[in-house]
Amino acid sequence: MASASLTLLSPQFSISSKSPLKLRRISNANQAPPIQEILSLINVNSKRVVHRREIFIKGLAMLPVAVFGGAPIAEAREVEVGSYFSPSAADPSFVVFKASPKDTPALRAGNVQPYQFLIPPTWKQTRVANILSGNYCQPKCAEPWVEVKFEDEKQGKVQVVASPLIRLTNKPNASIEEIGDPEKVIASLGPFVTGNSYDPDELRETSVEKRGQQKYYKYVLETPFALTGAHNLAKATAKGSTVVLFVASASDKQWSTSQKTLRAMVDSFEV
């Protein structure tokens, strides 16, 4: 009986020692390399693949923040703001957040003037998605964007929304009064308070506040269908080329215990 020789892959091809992924033609099946040699080559190739994969993953981790938006993973930990913001001199039960150019793309571009507000020390700052942050459109954004966001599971959340002034008026450097009355302004910005839509029937209170030369419109809204929550407080002003809106939101459960805290935060907001 004729003897049969055992080969891997095909009796006509074997693995080249110079390139583990390429095949070289052989003239005789009996010339196929031994199994030990083939397994050794496969092992070397596997190690190369793993090594390249590790380099690729490490490279992703080191890419600039601007590619992905937000802080690097190492800096994205949710930490109570009381550990790094200074206590308020007026009310030690709060800390003070003072926005500076390092905080947002719009502040760095000069499209938003620095703003500040009080916040409970147990709250945490949350990451703003790149598509909402305005990072992709600075220095000329046509639509509103989210500046910063903070939240507390038991009390609610707050955010600062900025809108190009040109979206509300053609007058350069207009004041909030020159844009229109409180009802007109909230009609334009309402969807950015609720997260979806705005119904004038949801507006419960409006008021006007003046701090120095700066005027603010304040709002109380009951928004049962809002994505942000059933209760929303807002405060808006215009400065430079931007309208800035501060929003505090809560669910029914949160509102019952945190209403006073949220109102104090809104009252403290200033540009």
Side-chain angles (χ1 to χ4, degrees):
M1 181 182 293
S3 62
S5 62
L6 177 64
T7 60
L8 290 180
L9 302 177
S10 165
Q12 299 297 317
F13 296 93
S14 72
I15 299 178
S16 168
S17 60
K18 292 184 179 180
S19 178
L21 295 180
K22 294 182 179 180
L23 302 177
R24 58 182 172 86
R25 193 176 188 88
I26 60 177
S27 58
N28 192 317
N30 292 328
Q31 294 178 355
I35 293 177
Q36 290 84 354
E37 180 184 345
I38 295 174
L39 293 177
S40 176
L41 291 173
I42 292 175
N43 184 47
V44 169
N45 184 56
S46 298
K47 288 181 178 179
R48 288 178 180 174
V49 172
V50 171
H51 179 64
R52 289 171 182 170
R53 180 175 179 272
E54 289 175 349
I55 292 175
F56 176 73
I57 292 173
K58 289 178 181 179
L60 285 179
M62 296 176 68
L63 285 176
V65 175
V67 175
F68 296 103
I73 294 176
E75 298 176 9
R77 294 175 297 174
E78 292 189 350
V79 180
E80 293 184 352
V81 296
S83 65
Y84 54 94
F85 290 159
S86 300
S88 167
D91 189 343
S93 64
F94 289 92
V95 295
V96 183
F97 170 70
K98 294 182 178 181
S100 65
K102 67 181 179 62
D103 290 306
T104 74
L107 285 163
R108 287 192 289 275
N111 285 339
V112 175
Q113 300 300 310
Y115 48 84
Q116 67 178 52
F117 53 88
L118 299 182
I119 187 169
T122 56
W123 283 46
K124 299 174 182 179
Q125 186 168 4
T126 59
R127 179 178 294 183
V128 178
N130 192 52
I131 195 169
L132 299 177
S133 70
N135 184 45
Y136 67 94
C137 62
Q138 298 297 335
K140 293 184 178 181
C141 292
E143 294 296 324
W145 64 89
V146 177
E147 281 278 293
V148 292
K149 295 173 67 175
F150 296 84
E151 65 179 33
D152 180 271
E153 185 178 344
K154 295 180 179 179
Q155 294 186 302
K157 53 192 172 186
V158 299
Q159 62 179 335
V160 176
V161 179
S163 173
L165 187 65
I166 192 66
R167 191 176 183 276
L168 285 83
T169 179
N170 291 323
K171 184 175 182 179
N173 300 311
S175 66
I176 195 76
E177 290 178 301
E178 291 173 318
I179 295 174
D181 59 26
E183 288 75 12
K184 179 181 178 181
V185 172
I186 196 62
S188 297
L189 299 178
F192 302 99
V193 174
T194 64
N196 45 9
S197 60
Y198 170 72
D199 185 339
D201 291 337
E202 297 172 337
L203 184 61
R204 294 289 179 265
E205 298 177 23
T206 63
S207 59
V208 179
E209 175 186 319
K210 187 173 183 181
R211 292 191 177 189
Q213 299 300 313
Q214 195 72 21
K215 283 196 174 182
Y216 301 82
Y217 289 166
K218 297 172 66 177
Y219 305 92
V220 178
L221 301 98
E222 297 294 333
T223 53
F225 305 110
L227 294 178
T228 51
H231 303 271
N232 277 285
L233 305 173
K235 187 175 181 178
T237 193
K239 194 169 186 178
S241 61
T242 311
V243 174
V244 184
L245 179 72
F246 183 80
V247 183
S249 309
S251 64
D252 286 325
K253 183 178 180 180
Q254 293 167 333
W255 183 253
S256 62
T257 58
S258 65
Q259 178 182 167
K260 183 178 179 181
T261 298
L262 296 176
R263 289 182 182 275
M265 295 170 72
V266 173
D267 289 342
S268 70
F269 177 76
E270 61 181 325
V271 179

